[in-house]
Amino acid sequence: MIVVGGPASPLLSKRVSDALGTQALQLETKIFPDGETYVRFPEPVAGENVAVVQSCYPPQNKNLLDLLFILDAARELGAKQTAAVVPYFAYARQDYSYRTGEAVSARTVARLIEATGASNFLTVDVPSNKALQYFRIHAENLTCMRIIADYLGSLHLERPFVLAPDDGAIPLAKTVAESLGTDFAWFEKTRDKITGAVSTSGKDVDLKGRDAVIVDDVISTGRTIANTIQIAKNRGARRVIAACAHLLLIGDAESVLRSAGVEEIIGTDSVETEARPVSIAPVLAEALRRVW
Ligand code: R5P
């Protein structure tokens, strides 16, 4: 197997190939003056299984198109099989036509990846499992929550309590709580489909003297987590820590979270815009070993 790092995931792809003890291939890439991407495989891949690691965080349109170029080129160069390893599945949240006339963007992305001839699609803590239904090839959602729990375990938390900011995050909170050997609860969230405004109602949990850990798949504008932090603080939490698989931190998200009272914001190398404390490479390597 050859692990190819896309331009969005150079560090993560190197960590995956190290974990597998397999060949890593860095592509030759450049951006033309008009903004178009150039990609070249510097070595042959004919007859090999090729895993292309490219997380599609913002700028997601560029990262997604680069992924398609690489997958398509690998097949044209004679790769035996290709796997699209896409920790952050851009457009997964647009998984259904919620309002008449809306594009189901997750379906379009699935079709485009399949059109390159890829035989496997691996993603991590996808914001919506529904998005995976549009693939006809092997498509799998992995979780990095145990690895996040290991990191949380190293923080010496005081009687940690895990919170899911909405019902979609319940499986994540459950996994983290089980790994930490503690309990969890979830809040109810509603989001206005037009403005995107988030409102959250909290359960009656007693967090006095405890450290609250909020876990989610994605932190984007930070509004979902900020609401949960405020409720946790009102319930008496000593410290509040936020952790997620895909730390996008769009716009003023970080200052919104800090103002709400978060102590630490934990993300992974799914998003390589800054160094993150947790690597998802072992999760991806283990899945690739199983697939091939
Ligand atoms: C969707 O519900 C996801 O699980 C996240 O909760 C959401 O994407 C977070 O978005 P934001 O940070 O913009 O509130």
Side-chain angles (χ1 to χ4, degrees), residues 93 127 166 189 191 198 216-224:
R93 286 180 285 182
D166 54 34
K189 176 178 93 176
R191 189 189 286 274
V198 173
D216 207 353
D217 41 25
V218 184
I219 299 180
S220 179
T221 65
R223 270 53 185 182
T224 297

